[in-house]
Amino acid sequence: MDSSALPLLPHLLIVDDHSEIRDLLKRFLSQHNYRVSVAADGDEMEQCLRDNTIDLIVLDLMLPGKDGLTLCRELRVHSNIPVIMLTAMGEEVDKIIGLEMGADDYLPKPFNPRELLARIKAVIRRFNAIPEGKSVLKSKADSVEEVQDKESHVYRFNRWCFDIGQRELTDNDGIAVSLTSAEFTLLKVFVEHPRKVLSREQLLDLAKGRETDVYDRSIDTIISRLRKKLEIDHKKPELIKTIWGGGYQMVCEVKHD
């Protein structure tokens, strides 16, 4: 068989300053059909991103030089590569800060490598919009074609165009705005249910949150990030309103092609 015809395995980047953790995760994840690169700090991470196409980053919070939060924030300026944040601290506030910076998931140390594997699969599945039960081990071209066939809807609201199939949000000038997988998931829920008041529980259910690791406490954080990208003044939102005692509501008119 021509090896060039085989789909590429998902390529992970592990960023951690502990060599034992890097080596352990590289061995473990390689055994589960992933290509794995490693980096000890931000400089090595940035070099790896320049030299490779990375599908997901496992990023430690505490790093020498730039910490994980800073690296995640800088990454989000130009990329929506999924990020799972690792930290030795398990406080809720650290999780919220990580989500604010654009992380897609969060795992406190110490952790079982199998739990990290499950979270990697969930984030990649969510990011590529692959239906439950199908393999994540496919080429990016295959994933894009599958998504376009499954969801070709284009939603228009206010000054925005949201293409579900392309996973692309653009303004009236055609300028694209990067969305994390969690932001994409929640925005998709809102445009599919315009002018309906949705509680956190309903948002979780509609986003399949129990499968995609969108948690109740993270809903507010993700909506806050969406407002900063969508609203003219995110402190006075006009598109996604907070309904006190009820939840959230996309109040603008939404049209879809």
Side-chain angles (χ1 to χ4, degrees):
M1 179 183 293
D2 181 4
S3 60
S4 64
L6 295 174
L8 291 176
L9 301 178
H11 193 169
L12 311 179
L13 172 58
I14 309 298
V15 186
D16 197 299
D17 61 330
H18 291 89
S19 59
E20 297 88 351
I21 293 177
R22 293 197 307 271
D23 293 343
L24 182 153
L25 291 180
K26 183 172 184 177
R27 289 195 304 271
F28 177 78
L29 294 169
S30 296
Q31 291 170 358
H32 287 81
N33 298 315
Y34 290 96
R35 290 179 293 151
V36 183
S37 295
V38 296
D41 55 30
D43 291 339
E44 291 186 8
M45 167 182 157
E46 291 166 0
Q47 183 62 51
C48 186
L49 289 172
R50 285 192 292 268
D51 295 341
N52 301 275
T53 298
I54 299 298
D55 296 291
L56 181 143
I57 301 172
V58 178
L59 178 60
D60 188 29
L61 177 64
M62 304 300 291
L63 292 170
K66 292 182 181 179
D67 62 23
L69 293 176
T70 300
L71 291 170
C72 188
R73 183 178 63 245
E74 293 178 352
L75 179 72
R76 283 293 169 256
V77 174
H78 56 80
S79 173
N80 63 346
I81 297 173
V83 173
I84 296 178
M85 191 80 74
L86 300 179
T87 177
M89 297 177 290
E91 296 295 328
E92 186 73 16
V93 65
D94 298 311
K95 176 177 178 179
I96 295 299
I97 292 173
L99 293 169
E100 282 278 10
M101 295 300 102
D104 297 273
D105 201 355
Y106 188 97
L107 189 62
K109 294 179 178 178
F111 58 88
N112 188 315
R114 290 190 176 278
E115 181 178 0
L116 176 61
L117 175 64
R119 289 174 182 267
I120 287 171
K121 288 180 177 180
V123 171
I124 289 179
R125 183 169 59 243
R126 182 169 73 231
F127 185 77
N128 288 331
I130 299 173
E132 184 72 18
K134 290 196 176 183
S135 172
V136 300
L137 303 180
K138 56 177 67 183
S139 69
K140 290 186 175 179
D142 290 341
S143 297
V144 170
E145 288 177 359
E146 188 171 296
V147 170
Q148 289 174 339
D149 289 340
K150 182 175 182 291
E151 297 181 295
S152 59
H153 298 298
V154 176
Y155 292 86
R156 303 180 191 278
F157 61 97
N158 194 257
R159 59 193 180 94
W160 298 102
C161 176
F162 185 38
D163 189 324
I164 300 296
Q166 297 288 346
R167 298 184 66 91
E168 186 174 66
L169 176 69
T170 55
D171 63 15
N172 285 339
D173 296 323
I175 299 175
V177 175
S178 176
L179 295 174
T180 67
S181 57
E183 292 165 0
F184 171 86
T185 298
L186 278 191
L187 182 57
K188 183 173 180 288
V189 170
F190 279 120
V191 298
E192 290 176 344
H193 301 83
R195 296 182 174 172
K196 290 185 178 181
V197 178
L198 300 171
S199 67
R200 289 179 180 82
E201 183 70 21
Q202 288 173 315
L203 287 169
L204 285 168
D205 288 341
L206 291 168
K208 295 183 175 62
R210 292 173 181 79
E211 297 173 4
T212 59
D213 300 316
V214 176
Y215 303 103
D216 180 66
R217 290 294 299 274
S218 71
I219 292 287
D220 298 335
T221 301
I222 299 166
I223 290 175
S224 175
R225 284 173 11 204
L226 276 175
R227 284 171 170 166
K228 289 178 182 179
K229 295 180 178 183
L230 297 174
E231 304 279 0
I232 294 175
D233 182 354
H234 68 90
K235 295 182 179 179
K236 299 178 180 179
E238 297 295 332
L239 302 181
I240 302 175
K241 292 275 194 178
T242 299
I243 308 300
W244 299 112
Y248 294 97
Q249 179 184 25
M250 175 166 269
V251 298
C252 60
E253 180 182 6
V254 177
K255 299 179 180 179
H256 68 88
D257 300 344

